[in-house]
Amino acid sequence: MIVWLALGLAILGVVSGPFLKEYMRPRMDEKTRTRAPGFFADLPKGKVHYQWLGAENGPVAVCVHGLSTPSFVWSAVAERLAQMGYRVLVYDLYGRGFSDRPKDAQDSAFFISQLDDLLAHLEVERDITLIGYSMGGAIAAAYAAERPERLRQVCLIAPAGIGHDLGSLAELIVKYDWFGAWVAYAVYPSSMRQGLEADRNIVSAIPNIYDLQKEETYRRGFAPAMLSSLRGILDEDLEPAHRAIAAADVPVLAIWGRDDDVIPISGVGKLAEWNRDAKQEVIEDADHTLTYTRVDDVAKALARLKL
């Protein structure tokens, strides 16, 4: 009897351990937010951290980051955009960075609502250049399909939603309900940290980016946000959105890394099929880290945008 009880407790510990560990992680609070640059907006689903860069009277460029790395991923590219004359807005998606962690399903409607609420708070209405990187590219496409009248143009950098490969771990998380959630909590953060350590020798234009990314994985809400986005916007079929953008005649520029193993270069052909008018640039020898490892090349491609 005692053996069975001990075995049951051991199994319970294995099963519940990752969820308990998540609960014990430090939450995003006001003390932590004192380290944040920029400002906060109190929006319907919580606080959102944002920053402005560049001239106040320039055309607005809004930058949307990806799945796991918050708005600091834009630091180097945003400076280049500001030098070009844009008024650049970067912000942390819910569940990342210094923004709150609401428990809503992170599908395209969720992220469209966040951006709508932030732009309303900032009284930014139209003539927006919307730039999305990785998952941010999926968000930008979803937003452009729903709000084409607000946009001057869209730029997609290594965009998700046109065929992406986030690896076998992400596939498990999406495919299996309870077990997928357990994997997201138990394995995903540590797996990401291992990957970051492997990349540490790659020269970055953003100081300490690998340490900043690792810090994210230790915060409460990181794993749930990854889980929700993988099962939400990253599992959506965005072909209708891209075809809607083409029908609305919103100018699109897509920038790809030739050696990107997360967002394969085959997306060039697929996007051309969905939107024949989309302009596309391929950066040779660039992988998925191009926004902070190939900043000069990304800036050169961004110069094709209409200022």
Side-chain angles (χ1 to χ4, degrees):
M1 183 68 178
I2 294 176
V3 172
W4 286 110
L5 178 61
L7 180 60
L9 290 173
I11 293 172
L12 179 62
V14 170
V15 170
S16 63
F19 300 98
L20 180 61
K21 188 174 182 179
E22 167 65 21
Y23 178 78
M24 299 299 291
R25 294 189 187 280
R27 66 171 64 244
M28 179 53 58
D29 55 21
E30 296 310 309
K31 181 179 179 180
T32 305
R33 287 189 171 117
T34 59
R35 298 192 283 112
F39 308 94
F40 288 90
D42 289 311
L43 303 183
K45 287 184 171 61
K47 288 183 181 293
V48 169
H49 170 241
Y50 68 93
Q51 296 181 75
W52 284 110
L53 297 91
E56 290 188 8
N57 59 352
V60 172
V62 179
C63 297
V64 189
H65 67 76
L67 173 66
S68 59
T69 307
S71 59
F72 59 71
V73 78
W74 287 112
S75 298
V77 171
E79 287 183 7
R80 297 301 185 89
L81 287 166
Q83 291 168 8
M84 293 177 193
Y86 289 97
R87 186 186 185 204
V88 187
L89 173 66
V90 300
Y91 68 102
D92 290 335
L93 296 171
Y94 285 127
R96 288 93 171 160
F98 294 100
S99 290
D100 272 342
R101 276 84 168 129
K103 296 181 180 179
D104 307 56
Q106 295 192 3
D107 54 14
S108 57
F110 172 81
F111 290 115
I112 289 171
S113 175
Q114 181 185 8
L115 184 51
D116 268 341
D117 291 339
L118 179 59
L119 293 176
H121 175 83
L122 298 173
E123 299 182 344
V124 175
E125 296 181 354
R126 42 183 75 239
D127 201 29
I128 299 164
T129 295
L130 185 59
I131 306 174
Y133 166 51
S134 194
M135 186 182 80
I139 295 171
Y143 191 89
E146 292 290 327
R147 309 283 189 270
E149 72 284 353
R150 305 191 69 177
L151 303 181
R152 171 186 291 201
Q153 58 201 335
V154 175
C155 180
L156 309 173
I157 304 176
I162 313 179
H164 51 258
D165 181 6
L166 300 178
S168 57
L169 196 61
E171 187 176 341
L172 279 176
I173 290 169
V174 173
K175 188 174 182 180
Y176 297 101
D177 188 11
W178 187 90
F179 178 67
W182 186 89
V183 169
Y185 282 64
V187 182
Y188 196 89
S190 59
S191 175
M192 181 176 166
R193 289 193 291 271
Q194 290 173 7
L196 290 169
E197 283 302 320
D199 290 345
R200 188 173 287 278
N201 292 329
I202 299 175
V203 177
S204 168
I206 302 174
N208 302 319
I209 188 168
Y210 303 111
D211 291 326
L212 291 171
Q213 289 173 310
K214 285 180 68 175
E215 184 180 354
E216 283 292 303
T217 69
Y218 291 109
R219 288 180 175 166
R220 190 192 301 187
F222 174 82
M226 301 304 102
L227 172 65
S228 190
S229 288
L230 286 168
R231 291 178 172 178
I233 190 167
L234 290 175
D235 199 39
E236 294 180 19
D237 177 10
L238 291 181
E239 179 179 350
H242 284 281
R243 292 193 180 276
I245 295 168
D249 203 26
V250 177
V252 172
L253 170 65
I255 303 171
W256 308 84
R258 175 74 69 184
D259 298 333
D260 193 335
D261 60 359
V262 177
I263 309 295
I265 195 65
S266 58
V268 171
K270 190 173 291 187
L271 180 59
E273 178 187 342
W274 295 349
N275 185 346
R276 292 168 55 188
D277 293 326
K279 298 176 181 178
Q280 305 199 62
E281 291 275 349
V282 177
I283 299 177
E284 299 296 331
D285 303 316
D287 61 19
H288 198 61
T289 65
L290 72 173
T291 56
Y292 49 94
T293 59
R294 299 293 294 275
V295 177
D296 289 343
D297 294 309
V298 170
K300 183 178 179 180
L302 288 170
R304 293 188 64 179
L305 293 172
K306 181 177 67 176
L307 186 60

